[in-house]
Amino acid sequence: MSVRELVVLGTSSAVPTPRRNHNGYFLRWDSHGVLFDPGEGTQRQMRLAGLSATDITRICLTHFHGDHALGLPGTIQRIARDRVAHPVRVAYPAQGREYWERLRHATPFHDTDVIVPQPVAGTGACPLGEDDLRLTALPLRHSVAAYGYRLAEPDGWRMLPDRLAEHGVTGPLIGALHRRGWVDAPDGHRVDLTDCALPRPGQTLAFVMDTAYCPQAVELARDADMLVIESTYLDSEEHLADPHGHLTARQAGRVAAEAGARTLVLTHISERYDADRDADFLAQAAAEFDGPITLAQDLDRIPLPPRSR
């Protein structure tokens, strides 16, 4: 059975706290395991979450600030130590190549050749994904080069058993109908895919970290089933958000509303806020966005919502 869920490894911003580790997010999507922004302590958090290095098939770095990247050396060295056999593609902003090289080879270890760098650059969408999971990156607005990511499943079809039976389409003919779009039924009449199936929208997740409000954040989140987005500040510190290239919880809610996202996950919380302010993050985001909102906590497991129909 396929599993699609976000495993939250860390939810702090620049400074970790006793209840919030540095950033880290693991997306389990069927056979894919996408690790976003491994900050310090990622290895330990993965262990606590029951994840292993062999679960990682791709790493996506939004930018090279320490709270989003200082866990990369340990993660790569763990991949090498555990002798992961499959390729692990690593997307990162090309403008930070020197930091990639430093982190990739931060200390001596028995290296591995499964790490495949995929630098992203430019002002438009950067396609990176496999056939069954389309990954694109878009530049955001931060104090250093930063990119957000969008993972999208191609649209498909949902077969209708009663319609298949009506047309006598059974066994291998069902697969042929799905692949080719039509088949000849056993009695000779032509059966089109639309006779026996309904369109099935593909699921989409958007990952938007350190950025001030910008159109690209909305574009990444357009119609996403889940938007994972930074919400560093509350309204009382809104004056800090734009100059530092960050969002408030209210602005994060506004991005979700403008994009038509289905669910919203808030994270990247400033160390200035204690647990008694958690409800304020939810309330201020909800003032802009009327869908389901989760304020992420370390080691949360958040399933993607059921498919829309």
Side-chain angles (χ1 to χ4, degrees):
M1 181 177 178
S2 64
V3 176
R4 296 184 180 182
E5 66 175 1
L6 180 73
V7 183
V8 180
L9 304 175
T11 56
S12 183
S13 56
V15 179
T17 71
R19 71 186 185 106
R20 293 191 182 278
N21 196 66
H22 260 173
N23 287 278
Y25 311 86
F26 182 84
L27 177 65
R28 192 183 294 281
W29 187 300
D30 301 342
S31 62
H32 301 277
V34 186
L35 178 63
F36 293 96
D37 281 4
E40 288 182 76
T42 290
Q43 282 195 80
R44 179 177 181 276
Q45 297 296 93
M46 286 183 64
R47 193 172 179 88
L48 291 173
L51 299 170
S52 71
T54 57
D55 291 320
I56 303 171
T57 60
R58 178 182 280 282
I59 299 173
C60 293
L61 297 174
T62 59
H63 65 295
F64 283 102
H65 277 154
D67 52 324
H68 297 258
L70 283 176
L72 184 65
T75 301
I76 289 178
Q77 291 182 28
R78 185 60 182 272
I79 288 169
R81 180 182 181 275
D82 289 2
R83 298 181 180 178
V84 172
H86 55 257
V88 178
R89 297 173 177 85
V90 184
Y92 63 87
Q95 297 95 318
R97 188 185 303 273
E98 64 176 302
Y99 302 109
W100 159 255
E101 294 296 341
R102 292 178 192 175
L103 292 166
R104 173 69 177 84
H105 303 285
T107 66
F109 68 105
H110 294 291
D111 206 349
T112 175
D113 60 2
V114 303
I115 301 298
V116 181
Q118 287 190 310
V120 298
T123 57
C126 303
L128 294 164
E130 294 80 5
D131 289 341
D132 62 332
L133 187 60
R134 296 168 182 163
L135 175 65
T136 56
L138 275 176
L140 298 171
R141 188 159 71 89
H142 194 44
S143 55
V144 298
Y147 283 75
Y149 294 95
R150 178 182 174 91
L151 293 88
E153 175 188 36
D155 293 339
W157 294 88
R158 181 168 62 89
M159 292 296 189
L160 303 174
D162 56 334
R163 300 277 184 84
L164 291 167
E166 281 179 27
H167 289 280
V169 178
T170 61
L173 282 178
I174 298 175
L177 176 62
H178 191 270
R179 288 191 306 272
R180 192 168 57 186
W182 64 274
V183 293
D184 289 325
D187 65 3
H189 81 280
R190 176 181 167 125
V191 181
D192 291 319
L193 185 59
T194 53
D195 297 328
C196 300
L198 292 175
R200 185 200 67 191
Q203 289 185 303
T204 303
L205 178 139
F207 188 81
V208 177
M209 278 301 117
D210 296 20
T211 185
Y213 181 85
C214 63
Q216 294 93 324
V218 176
E219 185 176 346
L220 285 164
R222 182 74 61 199
D223 298 325
D225 293 278
M226 180 181 288
L227 167 60
V228 183
I229 189 169
E230 73 123 299
S231 56
T232 308
Y233 298 116
L234 292 172
D235 284 351
S236 51
E237 283 70 49
E238 183 177 359
H239 63 285
L240 299 176
D242 193 79
H244 291 89
H246 286 296
L247 296 170
T248 66
R250 186 182 300 273
Q251 289 170 333
R254 190 175 304 148
V255 170
E258 291 185 5
R262 292 180 62 202
T263 61
L264 175 61
V265 178
L266 304 175
T267 188
H268 196 272
I269 308 302
S270 169
E271 74 276 8
R272 74 186 65 223
Y273 303 111
D274 293 325
D276 61 352
R277 303 303 305 275
D278 283 1
D280 295 332
F281 280 89
L282 293 169
Q284 291 179 17
E288 300 285 340
F289 176 68
D290 61 5
I293 305 173
T294 298
L295 176 61
Q297 309 291 343
D298 288 17
L299 303 180
D300 276 354
R301 306 182 90 95
I302 307 172
L304 263 72
R307 294 180 183 278
S308 60
R309 296 195 174 184

